Amino acid sequence: MRYLPINQIQQDMVLGQELYDGRGNLLLPKYTKLTEDHISYIIFHGITGLYIDDSFSKEAEIREVLEPEVRRETLRIVSKLFQRTLEGDTLTDPEEDALRKKVENVVSSVLDNPDVLYNLLELKTFDDYTYCHSTSVAVIAGVLGAKCCLNEEQLKDLVMAGFLHDIGKVYVDEDIINAPRRLTEAERAKVMDHPRLGYEFLKENYNFHETVNRSVYEHHEWYNGGGYPCRKKSQDILYLARILKVADVFDAMTSNRSYHSPYLPSEVMEYIMARSGMEFDPEVVDVATKELSVYPVGCEVELSNGAHALVIRNHRGYSLRPTIKQLETGEIMDLSDNRKSWSITITKLLM
Ligand SMILES: [Fe+2]
């Protein structure tokens, strides 16, 4: 499979993944042969790139942390949670059980697949951004949390907090949240109140662990005390909230938003590393650099010798040195372990 930005998608290409919206509804099945109508439909949903199935990229196998079906079910229950909250209601008991079940699914997927790097090109539709974002943050946080040596109970709290972290945004006008302009002072204050609003809502309406509620409250605090709403600092911020912070920024920056186009995973990694110790906990940043793929499988990259190549495998701990397949020659090179290739570096992610 290879990943192509939407402007390079052409008629008759074969879809390499299932496409679904932010509520878990199937848009197009895997292996659909794309028509012009399909492409317009995909663009309409704000999808910025797709995995395509072709013979050249057959070695590039994407291993996702969550099976597509589990991800779809997760999106369904997360969107239900936000819908209910918007309507001033709470989840019914069976729905809350379903949400807890999804937390368990994410935690067991993370623990059962310790070798799978999180693929930062998780598909997101534009209209239901919040549900996709909350789901992705929960999974990224779970991946990071497992490597930050959290126990299973802590992991469950972290993943639940991932699903819930932005629930307070329900109380902020959507026009303000999606405003493609500079916010006024009053609007900014409203947006910056969403962690507190979420915390209050959860405390009043659900019986989640206090750790879950507090992680929601603290997910915008900065390691150096420069965040909001309480300007807490380093160890005073819950460890789970410090992990959540990294997961949140990773996912938000690689997503397509009305006020910014998606940044490349490699750019986001640079940003996070540059702000280690300032915005982010250095310990969590260190884990993130090992567990999240900077050059996701299926992407085209430019090499220091000028050639172009497709990333076909990532190696944990060596996120800058994946295995690649050169486009012109078809030669496969493992940049993490090849004496011939030590002088070759990746200079650019082409997306
Ligand atoms: Fe937030």
Side-chain angles (χ1 to χ4, degrees), residues 121-146:
L121 292 175
E122 201 79 75
L123 176 93
K124 272 176 229 87
T125 51
F126 195 64
D127 33 359
D128 298 315
Y129 169 76
T130 310
Y131 318 141
C132 299
H133 172 66
S134 305
T135 304
S136 300
V137 168
V139 178
I140 300 175
V143 168
L144 297 179

Side-chain angles (χ1 to χ4, degrees), residues 133 165-167 169 191 194-195 216 219-220 228 248:
H133 172 66
H165 74 283
D166 270 347
I167 196 81
K169 281 197 178 164
V191 171
H194 80 269
V216 170
H219 78 275
H220 282 289
Y228 63 87
D248 183 22

Side-chain angles (χ1 to χ4, degrees), residues 160-227:
M160 183 62 99
F163 287 145
L164 300 167
H165 74 283
D166 270 347
I167 196 81
K169 281 197 178 164
V170 162
Y171 302 104
V172 184
D173 258 348
E174 221 175 309
D175 297 347
I176 299 180
I177 297 213
N178 294 323
R181 57 172 169 84
R182 237 185 126 75
L183 298 179
T184 65
E185 217 28 64
E187 288 170 336
R188 259 170 59 87
K190 187 78 192 166
V191 171
M192 285 166 72
D193 201 25
H194 80 269
R196 186 190 64 83
L197 291 168
Y199 173 81
E200 300 291 345
F201 165 78
L202 293 173
K203 236 182 135 60
E204 242 167 68
N205 295 285
Y206 291 97
N207 278 321
F208 297 125
H209 292 157
E210 178 61 9
T211 326
V212 173
N213 301 343
R214 253 190 74 193
S215 299
V216 170
Y217 204 157
E218 297 177 1
H219 78 275
H220 282 289
E221 298 290 356
W222 284 23
Y223 194 70
N224 69 357

Side-chain angles (χ1 to χ4, degrees), residues 285-310:
V285 173
D286 197 43
V287 171
T289 57
K290 298 192 182 89
E291 302 304 326
L292 307 178
S293 54
V294 183
Y295 300 116
V297 170
C299 284
E300 191 177 325
V301 291
E302 191 179 285
L303 306 175
S304 51
N305 62 8
H308 285 198
L310 197 72

Side-chain angles (χ1 to χ4, degrees), residues 3 5 8 264 299-303 307-309 348-351:
Y3 182 87
Q8 288 180 30
L264 299 174
C299 284
E300 191 177 325
V301 291
E302 191 179 285
L303 306 175
H308 285 198
K348 219 192 235 172
L349 179 60
L350 303 162
M351 269 168 61

